[in-house]
Amino acid sequence: MSTLVVVGAQWGDEGKGKVVDAVAAEADVVARFAGGNNAGHTLVVDGRTLVTHLIPSGCMYPGTRCVLGAGMVIDPDVLLHEIETLRALGLLVHDELRVSLHAHVIFPFHRQLDALREERATQSGAQIGTTKRGIGPAYEAKAARRGIRVADLLHPERLRERLEQNLAAVAPECERLGARIEGGVQQWLAQADAWARWLAPMTCDAGALCHAAIVAGQRVLFEGAQGALLDVDHGTYPYVTSSSTIAGGVCTGIGIGPTAIDEVWGISKAYATRVGAGPFPTKLVDATGNRLRELGAEFGATTGRPRDCGWLDLPALRHAARLSGMTGLCITKLDVLAALGKVEICVAYEDGIDPGCDGLAHAVPRLQSCPGWDDPDVVPRLRLARTLEALPAVARAYLDTIAAAIEVPIALVSVGASREQTIAVRRPFDPA
Ligand code: IMP
């Protein structure tokens, strides 16, 4: 096996950073295929914590090639800041980063539009709760065939035409929303010229690069962003992001065929969280939810917003497993759930509602309580466990319940924030 996809199985923030970090250590290539700087991975380098929003976690490992795929939307200012921060730490100094010529570029007017729309929608209570990074407007321009690709930055005449087209489309909407568009074609061209100077040497055909790596027997990790329930086609629409977050997104977002994918690991917290608006059947709006937020430090890595917290939702997880064809399941933050001392789990929805048919919008969860978690021994034993066998019986039973319900075996369990607090059940890139 040489290719592995790692995707979120909930609404993002599943703790992908830690899992991907562990897996990236064994990869030759780490590629992102969707989203932009709406994502955020917390990395610890030499005791210093930093958050990357665009560059995949492979950047931690010198010599590992990092690829930004065609399905992404890239804010070059954010990318440059990340490159400079990582280089100052001695990382990414050997030509490790490659950017697809087909990835789309976020300009300041995309961000402005995103923020203006959210502000207006908030007045009527209809906001999505976007990250205001310009993600939606950039994907919208792509679908409208006026998007600006990395390749366009290298062709000023083509770029001017495309920018004029965008100005004509965006300026009237900004005015309707009570603002003047910031900048203009001349200013954006100058900005694009500055970006092109440092970006040009990094450009590539990401599909061809990944294909060549696969053919050469290298290990390629495809790193997902956000989660299945935020997928633009299959998530809780319209409360979703604007890209394909599920494993299928790898094929379109990188440019390889489905037969090139060997394994798909889905990541879920031991409970559930969501940030931004939209359905969340198991949300806890009580002291238990607040406690879970405190214990799990559930605040967005990108926006700092407090996340809503709730019990693990098995029907939704089963749905996510099907959407991505998961072959392994990674459960994170089991220690946080344990510290709560009280655990419930959603085993079904009343009236047999199907999450796939927009059911999450009106699902009433049937909760089952899981006794035994209040034993004071559970947390310390759990944090020290490095095998499934070493886990306290209640924790093992909980994992067994999840794996049986979604019919996917456990690949990895995280029992604490540090790299060592991991139960690696399966090795990445090993045969199943
Ligand atoms: P956008 O991707 O900024 O357009 O935001 C659309 C929705 O996706 C909002 O509800 C965001 O809170 C959510 N979202 C986007 N990226 C992330 C993420 O990385 N983690 C969690 N939620 C996200």
Side-chain angles (χ1 to χ4, degrees), residues 252-325:
T252 52
I254 293 289
I256 55 161
T259 46
I261 296 176
D262 293 316
E263 293 265 344
V264 180
W265 286 7
I267 309 180
S268 169
K269 279 179 190 159
Y271 48 95
T273 65
R274 175 162 205 172
V275 65
F280 181 179
T282 60
K283 179 161 90 178
L284 288 161
V285 283
D286 57 7
T288 308
N290 294 340
R291 183 93 185 103
L292 208 41
R293 183 178 312 112
E294 260 169 53
L295 290 168
E298 297 295 352
F299 297 88
T302 299
T303 58
R305 291 178 291 177
R307 298 174 184 143
D308 290 326
C309 299
W311 301 121
L312 187 63
D313 183 336
L314 290 180
L317 189 57
R318 190 179 163 86
H319 179 56
R322 181 176 63 74
L323 288 172
S324 280

Side-chain angles (χ1 to χ4, degrees), residues 11-14 16 37-40 114 128-137 225-227 230 238-242 274-278 302-303 305 307:
W11 286 280
D13 310 320
E14 294 91 352
K16 282 188 287 297
N37 60 313
N38 45 353
D114 198 355
I128 301 290
T130 74
T131 58
K132 300 187 187 168
R133 301 298 193 261
I135 307 293
Q226 291 84 44
L230 288 174
Y239 301 99
V240 292
T241 191
S242 304
R274 175 162 205 172
V275 65
T302 299
T303 58
R305 291 178 291 177
R307 298 174 184 143

Side-chain angles (χ1 to χ4, degrees), residues 6 10 20 22 36 88 90 116 127 169 201 220 222 245 253 256 277 288 290-291 298 303 374 396:
V6 172
Q10 298 171 299
V20 166
L116 285 171
Q127 74 275 18
V220 182
F222 297 106
T245 61
I256 55 161
T288 308
N290 294 340
R291 183 93 185 103
E298 297 295 352
T303 58
D374 51 354
R396 279 195 69 182

